[in-house]
Amino acid sequence: MNLSNLKPAEGSTKNRKRIGRGTGSGRGGTSTRGHKGAGSRSGTSTKVGFEGGQMPLQRRLPKVGFKNPNRVEYNGINLDTLQQLADTYSVSSINFDTLKEHGLASKNDLVKILGRGTLTAKVEVQAHAFSATAQKAIEAAGGSIVKL
């Protein structure tokens, strides 16, 4: 076997359907479009979701839910992540720039500190919001919080 005699496995390839190549091809005449009607003309297209006149799925299902336009979405960062940050980089103050620098927040994020894990390091934490458990844990470890 070499590059000159490679070929695909038996039955793995098929010829494409060549339409409009004469009546002998079996796909001449109307070229698989049927007789008359909008579908037989050029330049026709159906709307997205159109099901041939049947009530489309997105209209059969009930409307559900509500999206609050005034929702404020925070990027949550847990205490165990702060502890890891304090251990690895020996920082005493964790602010938004520190979080950005280490890839934990993006420039337009709002940061909320959450209470998963334990914090033993004494750190000053600056963030946009704090959960009650996170606030207690930071203060219990001798640290302080500053809301931005």
Side-chain angles (χ1 to χ4, degrees), residues 60-81:
R60 273 179 279 164
L61 298 176
K63 290 182 180 180
V64 69
F66 167 74
K67 286 266 199 241
N68 184 359
N70 302 317
R71 175 177 161 77
V72 177
E73 198 157 330
Y74 290 99
N75 181 16
I77 296 177
N78 282 292
L79 292 176
D80 52 6
T81 311

Side-chain angles (χ1 to χ4, degrees), residues 65-129:
F66 167 74
K67 286 266 199 241
N68 184 359
N70 302 317
R71 175 177 161 77
V72 177
E73 198 157 330
Y74 290 99
N75 181 16
I77 296 177
N78 282 292
L79 292 176
D80 52 6
T81 311
L82 295 184
Q83 181 62 47
Q84 190 179 356
L85 201 64
D87 292 343
T88 313
Y89 302 103
S90 62
V91 290
S92 60
S93 174
I94 297 173
N95 57 20
F96 187 69
D97 293 329
T98 312
L99 296 172
K100 250 189 352 189
E101 195 175 298
H102 295 97
L104 295 170
S106 302
K107 66 176 184 177
N108 296 325
D109 280 351
L110 295 176
V111 174
K112 182 170 183 174
I113 307 299
L114 305 173
R116 186 189 72 201
T118 55
L119 183 70
T120 53
K122 181 183 176 183
V123 286
E124 180 196 340
V125 184
Q126 295 180 9
H128 299 97

